[in-house]
Every structure is written in structure tokens, then in C-alpha cells.
Amino acid sequence: MSYLEYSVKTVPSGWRKILYLNWPVVVLLTAVAGVGFLMLYSVAGGTLQPWAEPQMKRYLLGLVAMFVVALVPIWFWRNMAFVIYLGALGLLVAVEFVGSVGMGAQRWIDLGFMRLQPSELMKIALVMALAAYYDWLPLRRTSNPFFVALPIALILIPTFLVITQPDLGTAILLLTAGGLMMFLAGVHWAYFGIVIAAGAAGLSAVFKSRGTDWQLLKDYQFRRIDTFLDPSTDPLGAGYHITQAKIAMGSGGWTGRGFMQGTQSRLNFLPEKHTDFIFNTLAEEFGFIGGMSLLVLYVLILVFCVVSALQNKDRFSSLLILGVGLTFFLFFAVNMSMVMGLAPVVGVPLPLVSYGGSAMLVLMIAFGLVQSAHIHRPR
Amino acid sequence: MKRTSKEVAESYARVSRRGMILGGLQLGFVGLLGLRMRHMQVDQADEFRLLAEENRINLRLIPPSRGQIFDRNGRIIAANEPAYRITMVREDAEDVDAVMARLAELVELGPDDIERARAEMARSAPFLPVTVADRVSWEAVSRVAVNAPALPGVVPEVGLSRVYPDRETFAHVVGYVGPVSERDLARYEDPEPVLRIPRFQIGKVGVERNYEEQLRGRAGAKRVEVNAVGRVMRELDRREGEAGSDVQLTLDSDLQNYVQARLGEESASVVVMDLEHGDLLAIASAPSYDPNKFVRGISVADYSVYRENERRPLASKTVQDAYPPGSTFKMVTALAAMDAGVVSPNDTVWCPGHMTVSGRRFHCWKRVGHGHMNLELSLRESCDVYYYDLALKVGIEKIAETARRLGLGEVHGIPMSAVTEGLIPDKEWKLRNRDAPWVVGDTVNSSIGQGFVLSSPLQQAVMTARLATGRAISPRLVKSVDGIETPRDPGEPMGFNENHLRQLRQAMFSVSNNRRGTAYGSRIIDDGMRMAGKTGTSQVRNITAAERARGVVRNEDLPWKRRDHALFVNFAPYEQPQIAVSVVVEHGGGGSAAAAPIARDVTLQALYKGDPPLEAYPTKDRDRIREQQQRLAEEREDKMRDGRSRA
């Protein structure tokens, strides 16, 4: 593997690279983040504190990080992919021993200025590692059982570590993103058939394990699934959250109840209104039109990523771009399914809108990689 | 290694093909999300909007003020007084212990009160007021208000509470109110939400209970916006309630107060009925109880004092107790016989002091006998044998029918509690309830109001009123509700021969005006006010033959519980009847000695609308009556001053 194959001389260099950024994506990202600022301002009752202002600062930091990452040539990132993966893995292990636990999930390491969640880092590191792996692997060996087992190990090791944290949402995200990366790389259909069948078997095993001494999920995780399947079983407990979230969304109607007029969020009926359930505030205050607008912004970002990937002749670059887009998609798809009552509440934030530092920074760095791949694409 | 251009092309083709597939799947999923959003926000928007409003808006009831109760002259009987209580809001108080300690210096607070308030605060949300002291005086509230800066979170609140200024006087009629109990709630099929307000008071007995719907009024409501933990954010709107309707009774509170004072601690009851429309002017039962104690929540000690009193202060004897009417029933027997045509007023019967019926000897109260007796003589001297003879001639069925026409054995619809039906026995009744055939001895017993016959003092008064007027007059207790007069019914003529009734009235007149009448001692001197009445003495025990042989023991020598009940009924004035009165003194001995004097005092008081002149009494009674009038006036004055100062 060598970057010598690229037509390096046509790649822009120095500060001129800035002109070759995928600017529409930058604008769209800023627009989505702007929606986030607006909603954080609203749920705080019309003040910048305590959420909107820190979120803006983080976004600016993320933007800078994105530019820095974008200016570094993509082949450097490709060569660093495994190092980054191993680093993230190391942090995941380390956090088991020295990390702090908050809200029953997600462990972090306190860096002083921010809390680093290694599981967030792993999302992008896994995508990079898999893209690099399939870039290295000769095409004809893609479906060779041994070379299929290797990436599976790459996916399962961090997934297992994250589950033990315990952070079911991130684990599902890692597993799905990893699997889809393998699909993109061209692994034979049959493998996916087997995995889906095994998955169905595993799922039934998980439910069978309930109440036995080899129980595979924690009790609260089982309860969340129960609640998802029938929120009315626990209308005042866990079911309360999802019921209130649906009321908030549904009561918005076509045009919403108006900026800062959402009673469900303003009167605190809506749980976690500044993090996981922020989309419900948007839907309540700006209605179907507001919710769809954000969805369209997300879709546009995806479209630009896919177009950029398809234009890119470099295998690592196009896999990476598609992988980042995929991760991004999984974020908002899982979050939205969750807050609309289509999926159990697993604690996945709405990308770039929910209040939270790690997730935003990691996403911005991921889009930095997308930009780098875009700038340094072979022409 | 160098990639061949073929490999690169192949890889590119595969990535883009699968990328397209994946992109399509993603787009499909996004479409699904959009549809779901549309379904919730467009199709189901109204339902969810409703749920959101239900979440947000809380209905708070504003308790209505209860209607007041007045007497026929507009004097208040049941009023609402401001009741003060001290509440504390935990989150405003911050250091609850310190504030509580300071508060305890100003208001009487026992360790129990503090303990209870602390427990309640721990249970409820920090922004909700918790009652620390209930029913505190106005002075204590003022002290708290002055020291408000040192008492953060302490708020005096005012509500309305029921008070009965005349205390014992109207207890049996008006009853009392109390907090809603689980049993009260069970009475209603769909209890009004206002009943669930803590400490809300509803009528428990008497008029307070029977006119509950009218007195309660309608609760107002305010809609408030609350947040998820129930804190009120703002008031959205408010609908004022309607105060309850005032109820005016037919009672005359001066007369009722007099009657209550006159009865004192005697176990007795008095009913005074106006003859125009049957208005009850007084309906008193003694001894009585203080309804205010029940409003506040009576203590176990106070309650057991009432319960253990053998004179039963809690019972409202005028309507809920039925007594053998004794000789007062003789008018019924006489009227039945005359109405059936088996006897005329001047027919005479020989009274040898006893009569033997189917082998059993029935005695007259006068052992040596009365000799020849006609209607007037027999009633005047209360000869028993005359009525035995009449009863045997006319039979029980006719007597029972006449009694019912006169209002005995009937529940009169007045809004007091536990109104009894009494009992007018006949053959069918005995067969059904005693599983034995009617025997002629039962008829004989019934003829003089003994045996199975039972009637309440109210029924006695109704009977007398009907005899006096000839109309089927019924008692009325409520004069008006919310200023609207309740229907007045003078009563249809009963259809008895007017001549028979006149003969009866004349006989009753002799009872209390003829020198040989049993109530001559209780006559009225004033010519325009003279009364016609009948004494009655009802045995509460059987006199055995052995006892009779030894000589019947005098009532005064018996223990109180075994003495006879004393009864008296009368109407007055004789020429122009205005009122009917019935008196029962439990275990009072003879009707002429115990009941008739009370009836006379009450009659005069009612006719003169105040203390009568001493000239209305026989000369020898005047000194005693003067003293009695003075004593009772003082008693009533003391009580009134006491009651009004509390109100």
C-alpha cells in the first residue's frame, strides 16, 4: 500500500486546501448545530446558560478540530488508523479501572477541560481501522473466512468492552456500523445471512436468559425493553418518559406550539429534554415542519457524503466517508426511533443537537476525516 | 505491492454498488421516520394535544361557603365563622426547626403537633403549605402576623367553619357538620369532587344532613398550570362558586330556647305546633348536646360522657323515640267509637274499678271505680273501664284506622334524623310480627294506649292538632329555602263528624279546667288563653297481680329507670285554637304531675311570645312561677351571651 499511486501533484497544498473543502457539508453541519443552539436556548427557559453557550464553544472547538484534521493528508490518517484503534482500545480498557461512572452508563476519563468518553472515540476509530483493513486486503480475499474473522474480532473486542461499561446504545452502534462497513467492503452476502440468523437465535437466547444465573443483560436493560414493547406497563416509572416524550412530539401538530411555548418541555414533563429527548422539544415547538426540516438537513449531509464517496477513487477514502456517514446516520436514526417510540430507550444522543461534548467533538473530527479524504482525493 | 488498474476499478464498482444499496436503505428508513412523525403530529395531533393539556392543567376547587340556617324570625341558628390556621411552606422556611421553635412561642404547639407537621412536610412537596396549628385564636394569628419577618414560610390562613351559637338548643333539629368520612363518600354513587377537599364539612345529622344539597352550594374552580412535580406556575382562569342556599326553619328560637331551659336536665321532649299550617314552633329534646364539639371533632372523653348518660342526650326523643301514648290515646278510642256509631257522647258505662274480659281482669287506675261515666266524665277523670267497654264494642280495626287518620303510625316528612313510624297495631300486624292471633285483651290494652301502641311526641302533637282543627294538618319544619317559601298546606278536612270533635274538645277542656279534671292543677286563668288537654301515664313495667294485692308501689319509691313516663297533650286557646303542644317526660311519674305543668308553661310562653303575666297562673302558683321565670331568664341570658361572644 502506498500513496504513490495517487496523483499527488494535482492535490492542492498548503492553505489553498481550504478552498477545496466540501463547503456545503460545513454549512449543513453548522445549520444542524444552530438548530441545537436554538433548542438548548429554549429548554433552558430562554437563556444561554447553562447549555446553549457551552455548546456553542464546543462547536467552535469542534470546527477548529475538523479543519486541522482536514488539512492533514488522508494517507497519514490511513497509516495511523491501527495506531488510533489500538489507542482507543487501550483507553477503553483503562476506563474500566480508572474511569468514573455517571447516570448508570458511559464511563469517562476526566481530562480537566472535558470529559473524554473512549467509547465515543472508538466509534470513529473502528470505522478507520476497518476502512484501512479493507484497503490493505486484496479484493479477492475479501470473503476468505480467515480474513472475514479478523475484522469481526476488530468489531467484537471493543463492543464487548463497551457492553460491560454498560452502554448498550454505543455497543449496538459499534456492532451495526462495523457490520455495515464489512458489507460495503464487499464481503459475501452469505456471511450476512448467517449473522442475521445467528442474531435472531442470539436474541431469543438473551430473552431466555432472563431470570437465570447466566442472564446476558442487566435487569434495567430488560425493563427498558419491556417498557418499549408496552409503555403502559409502567406508566409512572420508565414508561413515563417515553409516554411524555410521545405526548410532546404529538402535541406539536403541523406547525408546533411556537418557540419556547412547548408546555411539555417547559414544565419538565419531558425527561432529559436537553440531551436524548431534545428532538421532542423541537417537534413540540416547531411541529411536523420543524422536525422534517432537521431530518432534511441530516439527509442532505448524508447525500453530500455519499456523492463525495462515489467521486473518490481511493478505496480507503470512499470506505471511510461512507463509514462516517453511516455512523452519523445510525446516531440520528437510533435517537429518533427511540424518541418516537419505535425503539427502546438506549441512550443515544441526537448528533450535533443534543447537549454533550465528547459526541460532538468526535463527530466533528470524523467529518474532518471526510473533508481530508475529499481534499486529497486522487484526480 | 502495486494495485492493478483492474483491481482498482473492480473495487470502485463494488463499493459504489453497495454504497448505493445502503444509501437507499438509509433513505427508506428516513422515510419511515418521516411517516411516523406525520402519523403522530398530524393524524394523532389532537389526542396528544389533549394529553398535554391534561398534564399541564390542574383543576383546583374553591370550596363554597355553606348556607346559613335561621329561625322563623330571621335569628341565626347555624352560622359560618372564620377559622384560622397556621401553615408552613417548607422550602420558604429553610430551617424548619428554628422557625417551628419560634412559632411555638407565639402559638400553642404541643410536641405532638410539631411531630405531625414534620411528618406531613416530609411526605409532601416542599412548596406545599402544611397545616401546623388548626383553629387558633384571632389573637394568635395577630401575633404571628406581627412577627412575620422572623417566621419565613409561615402563613396564617383563614377558612370558614360551622358554629352553632345557641349550642344545645337546636342540636337535635339542626344536627351538625363534620369532615367527610369514607362512609359519607360511600353514600353517594358519584361523589362530587368538592367532597374530596381535605377538611370539607358536610351535614352529618338533622337538617344539616337532610338539606345538604341545598346548603352546600356549588364549588368554584380555578384552572392552574402545574409543572411535572405539581408546582403551580400560574392561574389560568377562575370560576367563582355559588354559596349554599340559606334555610329558614319554622322554629321560633326564643320559644325553643325557653323550652330547652325549662326542660333542663329532665329526660323529656316537647313539640309545639302552629295550627294554621302545621309549622313546628319548637321541637326540643332534653338533655341535649353541644353540636360545636362535633364540628371540631369530639374528644373520646366528651363523647363517652354523652354516651354513658342514662338520659341519652344524643337521642332526639321528639321524633326517634316512640312511647306507649297511655291515656292520651283515649281520644282516638272515643272518636273511633263515635264515628262507628256504636256509642253517643251521653251514653253511660258503669265503672266498678275493673272489667273482666275472657277470664282476665283489667283494672281501672282508680281501684274503687268511677261509677257512671259518659264521654266527658270519663276523659276528664281518665276512667279506663269506659274505654275498655268502647273498644270491645268498636273493635281494633276501627281504632287503628282512626289512629292513622289522626297521624299516628305515620312517618311525618320532616328533615330530622331517624324519624320513627311509631306503631298502631292491628290483627294483621300481630299475626305477621308476633306470630300470634289477636286476642280481645289486646284490644282492651290498646284502647288506653298501652300494649303494643307506640307513638312519638311529634305524632302526639299532630294528633292533637288534627283533633283541634278537624283538618289533616301535617308538621312543617322548613319555612323557606333561599328565600323561597316552602309549600304551606292547611290540610284537608278529615271527614269526622264535627259534633263528635266538638264533644271531644269539650271533654279535653274539662280535663284542665274542671275542678275534677286530672290536669286542673295546671289550668290557665286568663280567659282567652285557656287550654284543652289530656294527661297520660304510660307504664314501663307490668304490674303483677301479687304486686297489686300488696298495693301498687308509688312512683317516687321506684328507681328512676322503672318509673312511668308522664305525657300530656293540649291545644290552646280553647275557643280559637292556635297551637298544639305535646310533652313527654321520661320516667316522670304521672302525666298530671310531671308533664302538664311543663305544657302549661310552654303554651303560655308560645301564646304570649315571651314570659306571660303571672295573672295567667292560679294564685297559689304565682310565687313559684315568678322565681322560675327569673331563674330561666337568667339562664338563657347567660347562655346567649356566651354563645354570641363565641360566634
Side-chain angles (χ1 to χ4, degrees):
Chain A
M1 50 175 180
S2 154
Y3 50 79
L4 292 178
E5 67 201 62
Y6 296 136
S7 324
V8 178
K9 53 185 172 300
T10 62
V11 170
S13 60
W15 293 109
R16 286 185 59 241
K17 285 180 182 177
I18 297 221
L19 296 176
Y20 290 85
L21 276 171
N22 197 343
W23 279 105
V25 171
V26 178
V27 171
L28 286 169
L29 289 175
T30 308
V32 170
V35 171
F37 305 150
L38 202 64
M39 292 331 295
L40 289 173
Y41 178 79
S42 169
V43 295
T47 55
L48 290 172
Q49 293 296 343
W51 298 313
E53 200 182 298
Q55 184 83 344
M56 287 178 191
K57 287 180 180 157
R58 283 177 193 149
Y59 180 70
L60 286 179
L61 184 70
L63 217 52
V64 171
M66 185 178 85
F67 287 137
V68 170
V69 171
L71 297 183
V72 176
I74 189 67
W75 43 88
F76 171 79
W77 293 121
R78 184 184 62 188
N79 294 347
M80 291 300 289
F82 276 99
V83 179
I84 291 170
Y85 175 81
L86 288 175
L89 208 58
L91 284 173
L92 266 182
V93 175
V95 86
E96 285 290 316
F97 304 105
V98 299
S100 322
V101 183
M103 306 210 287
Q106 282 163 342
R107 299 190 172 214
W108 64 70
I109 296 171
D110 205 333
L111 294 182
F113 68 96
M114 67 172 288
R115 286 162 168 177
L116 179 73
Q117 289 175 6
S119 58
E120 294 289 337
L121 198 60
M122 184 43 98
K123 284 172 194 161
I124 195 65
L126 181 65
V127 169
M128 284 175 80
L130 288 172
Y133 171 79
Y134 282 109
D135 185 44
W136 163 80
L137 190 70
L139 205 56
R140 61 177 188 285
R141 292 197 173 139
T142 310
S143 297
N144 177 310
F146 174 76
F147 291 104
V148 170
L150 219 56
I152 287 177
L154 288 182
I155 297 166
L156 286 186
I157 293 166
T159 304
F160 176 75
L161 286 171
V162 168
I163 279 191
T164 59
Q165 282 195 358
D167 180 359
L168 193 59
T170 306
I172 289 170
L173 245 46
L174 286 175
L175 208 59
T176 319
L180 290 175
M181 281 297 284
M182 290 172 71
F183 173 78
L184 281 173
V187 175
H188 198 275
W189 289 95
Y191 286 103
F192 296 97
I194 292 167
V195 167
I196 288 167
L203 211 60
S204 66
V206 163
F207 280 102
K208 287 251 173 65
S209 76
R210 187 171 193 182
T212 62
D213 10 314
W214 51 281
Q215 188 163 302
L216 294 171
L217 293 180
K218 303 260 178 181
D219 279 336
Y220 81 94
Q221 290 168 329
F222 272 118
R223 274 201 300 279
R224 279 186 179 180
I225 294 170
D226 284 346
T227 310
F228 160 66
L229 293 175
D230 186 4
S232 61
T233 53
D234 190 11
L236 293 175
Y240 178 81
H241 286 181
I242 191 63
T243 307
Q244 294 300 337
K246 283 162 80 173
I247 290 173
M249 169 164 281
S251 64
W254 262 105
T255 54
R257 313 198 61 174
F259 184 50
M260 305 218 298
Q261 301 297 313
T263 57
Q264 285 289 101
S265 52
R266 197 164 49 77
L267 299 172
N268 287 331
F269 289 103
L270 191 62
E272 299 290 321
K273 57 183 179 180
H274 63 292
T275 56
D276 289 359
F277 287 94
I278 196 161
F279 185 68
N280 300 68
T281 308
L282 176 76
E284 185 186 21
E285 298 192 346
F286 295 105
F288 180 65
I289 293 172
M292 277 313 273
S293 305
L294 183 65
L295 205 56
V296 167
L297 288 178
Y298 280 140
V299 171
L300 284 176
I301 292 174
L302 284 184
V303 168
F304 276 100
C305 283
V306 171
V307 168
S308 167
L310 296 185
Q311 285 172 350
N312 206 317
K313 298 268 193 302
D314 179 38
R315 186 167 162 79
F316 174 75
S317 295
S318 60
L319 279 176
L320 181 69
I321 295 170
L322 287 176
V324 170
L326 201 60
T327 308
F328 187 68
F329 166 79
L330 287 174
F331 258 112
F332 77 74
V334 171
N335 176 275
M336 285 190 183
S337 314
M338 174 176 110
V339 301
M340 290 182 203
L342 289 173
V345 178
V346 287
V348 173
L350 191 63
L352 299 176
V353 178
S354 285
Y355 180 77
S358 282
M360 172 172 271
L361 200 63
V362 166
L363 265 176
M364 293 305 280
I365 288 169
F367 279 102
L369 293 171
V370 169
Q371 297 286 8
S372 172
H374 187 75
I375 295 166
H376 302 99
R377 68 182 182 275
R379 281 158 232 254
Chain B
M1 66 190 150
K2 187 87 176 166
R3 264 174 209 162
T4 63
S5 61
K6 187 184 161 218
E7 245 183 357
V8 171
E10 200 183 319
S11 141
Y12 176 72
R14 191 171 293 181
V15 168
S16 36
R17 196 170 61 234
R18 294 218 169 166
M20 295 297 273
I21 292 170
L22 212 57
L25 285 176
Q26 289 177 7
L27 215 59
F29 194 83
V30 167
L32 195 72
L33 290 178
L35 281 178
R36 170 75 172 174
M37 230 153 82
R38 211 194 101 88
H39 179 61
M40 286 173 72
Q41 298 199 282
V42 179
D43 302 339
Q44 295 183 302
D46 292 342
E47 285 163 49
F48 282 119
R49 174 67 65 91
L50 196 70
L51 289 172
E53 294 294 288
E54 275 175 13
N55 262 343
R56 167 175 89 97
I57 294 169
N58 231 329
L59 212 59
R60 299 282 162 99
L61 291 171
I62 311 167
S65 73
R66 194 172 176 84
Q68 308 194 96
I69 300 177
F70 298 93
D71 85 336
R72 67 185 295 113
N73 301 315
R75 262 200 53 190
I76 200 149
I77 293 174
N80 298 319
E81 67 170 3
Y84 301 98
R85 58 178 190 272
I86 309 280
T87 64
M88 190 186 281
V89 179
R90 172 152 58 103
E91 68 173 5
D92 295 340
E94 284 172 8
D95 188 350
V96 174
D97 287 320
V99 175
M100 201 82 92
R102 261 173 272 155
L103 188 62
E105 291 168 18
L106 303 172
V107 184
E108 235 178 87
L109 271 186
D112 289 357
D113 297 325
I114 296 180
E115 194 57 44
R116 188 190 45 74
R118 297 237 42 162
E120 201 178 330
M121 273 185 216
R123 274 199 308 275
S124 54
F127 51 83
L128 289 179
V130 167
T131 302
V132 179
D134 205 2
R135 290 185 179 276
V136 293
S137 65
W138 166 243
E139 287 75 18
V141 171
S142 317
R143 283 198 296 274
V144 170
V146 168
N147 290 286
L151 299 166
V154 174
V155 188
E157 282 185 12
V158 61
L160 288 177
S161 180
R162 205 58 151 176
V163 66
Y164 304 97
D166 285 318
R167 295 194 289 179
E168 287 88 354
T169 301
F170 293 96
H172 293 120
V173 185
V174 169
Y176 51 86
V177 297
V180 182
S181 69
E182 284 304 313
R183 268 178 56 199
D184 293 326
L185 284 177
R187 283 216 315 270
Y188 298 98
E189 204 163 283
D190 182 23
E192 264 188 72
V194 67
L195 296 180
R196 305 210 182 257
I197 298 178
R199 293 165 208 272
F200 187 76
Q201 295 177 329
I202 64 165
K204 295 289 186 174
V205 290
V207 173
E208 292 274 26
R209 172 160 173 174
N210 289 303
Y211 272 76
E212 172 63 26
E213 308 294 310
Q214 291 90 333
L215 287 166
R216 188 191 298 156
R218 295 163 60 87
K222 56 182 176 185
R223 296 195 313 148
V224 292
E225 186 177 88
V226 296
N227 71 1
V229 290
R231 182 196 295 267
V232 175
M233 307 306 277
R234 64 198 163 108
E235 189 176 310
L236 298 172
D237 56 18
R238 155 193 288 263
R239 177 171 52 78
E240 292 300 336
E242 267 173 52
S245 307
D246 289 342
V247 170
Q248 188 179 24
L249 301 182
T250 58
L251 298 179
D252 179 332
S253 71
D254 287 335
L255 185 63
Q256 178 93 2
N257 269 311
Y258 172 82
V259 171
Q260 203 74 49
R262 176 68 181 83
L263 294 179
E265 286 303 299
E266 198 76 73
S267 181
S269 50
V270 166
V271 177
V272 182
M273 202 168 146
D274 184 274
L275 294 183
E276 197 181 350
H277 298 114
D279 285 6
L280 292 165
L281 299 176
I283 180 159
S285 173
S288 188
Y289 62 91
D290 185 354
N292 295 305
K293 286 184 177 167
F294 286 85
V295 177
R296 283 192 289 267
I298 192 163
S299 69
V300 175
D302 280 350
Y303 191 63
S304 61
V305 166
Y306 285 145
R307 281 304 293 260
E308 283 158 19
N309 187 337
E310 63 177 358
R311 301 187 173 210
R312 299 179 298 132
L314 296 176
S316 117
K317 295 167 187 143
T318 48
V319 293
Q320 81 178 63
D321 282 356
Y323 306 89
S327 300
T328 61
F329 195 72
K330 284 174 179 167
M331 278 89 80
V332 178
T333 307
L335 190 59
M338 288 189 287
D339 202 45
V342 296
V343 73
S344 80
N346 294 322
D347 292 350
T348 59
V349 171
W350 171 257
C351 169
H354 60 82
M355 180 187 240
T356 306
V357 180
S358 54
R360 193 177 147 199
R361 178 175 274 211
F362 291 86
H363 288 272
C364 186
W365 68 269
K366 194 169 176 184
R367 303 203 63 190
V368 295
H370 287 92
H372 286 287
M373 284 279 119
N374 64 9
L375 172 69
E376 180 169 348
L377 295 176
S378 68
L379 202 69
R380 184 180 83 191
E381 290 165 40
S382 206
C383 170
D384 292 337
V385 170
Y386 178 83
Y387 292 93
Y388 298 157
D389 183 69
L390 256 53
L392 291 176
K393 286 177 183 152
V394 71
I396 187 64
E397 295 301 328
K398 179 66 185 171
I399 293 176
E401 184 225 305
T402 309
R404 293 196 185 104
R405 278 164 80 185
L406 288 170
L408 301 177
E410 175 191 339
V411 178
H412 295 289
I414 66 166
M416 286 174 67
S417 290
V419 179
T420 183
E421 192 185 339
L423 177 60
I424 297 302
D426 54 23
K427 292 175 179 170
E428 192 198 331
W429 172 86
K430 192 178 178 197
L431 206 57
R432 197 149 25 90
N433 291 281
R434 294 294 154 100
D435 214 13
W438 188 268
V439 294
V440 72
D442 294 330
T443 309
V444 172
N445 269 333
S446 301
S447 70
I448 58 160
Q450 297 285 354
F452 302 117
V453 187
L454 292 172
S455 72
S456 69
L458 175 68
Q459 289 171 329
Q460 297 272 87
V462 172
M463 174 192 79
T464 312
R466 291 186 178 185
L467 286 172
T469 59
R471 290 177 274 120
I473 197 165
S474 290
R476 186 175 82 139
L477 183 58
V478 174
K479 186 168 159 58
S480 67
V481 175
D482 206 16
I484 299 164
E485 184 90 17
T486 48
R488 287 191 295 190
D489 181 14
E492 295 293 310
M494 288 182 295
F496 289 114
N497 184 323
E498 185 56 35
N499 187 41
H500 295 160
L501 288 171
R502 199 166 48 240
Q503 296 279 355
L504 262 182
R505 289 177 203 138
Q506 196 186 324
M508 286 171 76
F509 180 74
S510 337
V511 169
S512 51
N513 291 286
N514 187 293
R515 195 168 290 280
R516 302 198 57 175
T518 50
Y520 181 69
S522 299
R523 69 193 175 281
I524 291 169
I525 302 299
D526 188 332
D527 275 349
M529 299 285 178
R530 285 183 298 184
M531 65 181 186
K534 181 71 194 85
T535 54
T537 303
S538 70
Q539 292 169 9
V540 294
R541 68 192 202 285
N542 278 318
I543 300 175
T544 59
E547 249 184 303
R548 206 174 285 278
R550 264 186 270 118
V552 177
V553 186
R554 295 216 339 265
N555 258 304
E556 293 72 33
D557 302 334
L558 284 169
W560 181 77
K561 269 279 192 191
R562 297 191 59 204
R563 291 180 202 165
D564 296 338
H565 294 320
L567 289 85
F568 192 77
V569 296
N570 71 282
F571 62 88
Y574 173 66
E575 289 80 10
Q576 281 290 316
Q578 288 174 25
I579 57 167
V581 177
S582 128
V583 177
V584 174
V585 182
E586 283 192 339
H587 311 295
S592 55
I598 295 177
R600 173 176 63 179
D601 289 347
V602 171
T603 303
L604 284 171
Q605 193 80 19
L607 292 177
Y608 279 99
K609 301 195 189 319
D611 281 345
L614 291 172
E615 288 71 36
Y617 287 92
T619 329
K620 69 173 173 60
D621 291 338
R622 288 181 188 162
D623 286 343
R624 187 173 55 78
I625 295 294
R626 185 188 302 116
E627 261 172 51
Q628 178 183 300
Q629 282 183 357
Q630 269 167 9
R631 179 172 55 81
L632 293 179
E634 273 165 30
E635 262 179 39
R636 277 177 290 161
E637 226 164 85
D638 285 352
K639 199 178 117 190
M640 196 175 299
R641 201 166 33 236
D642 208 29
R644 299 288 151 178
S645 73
R646 280 174 28 81

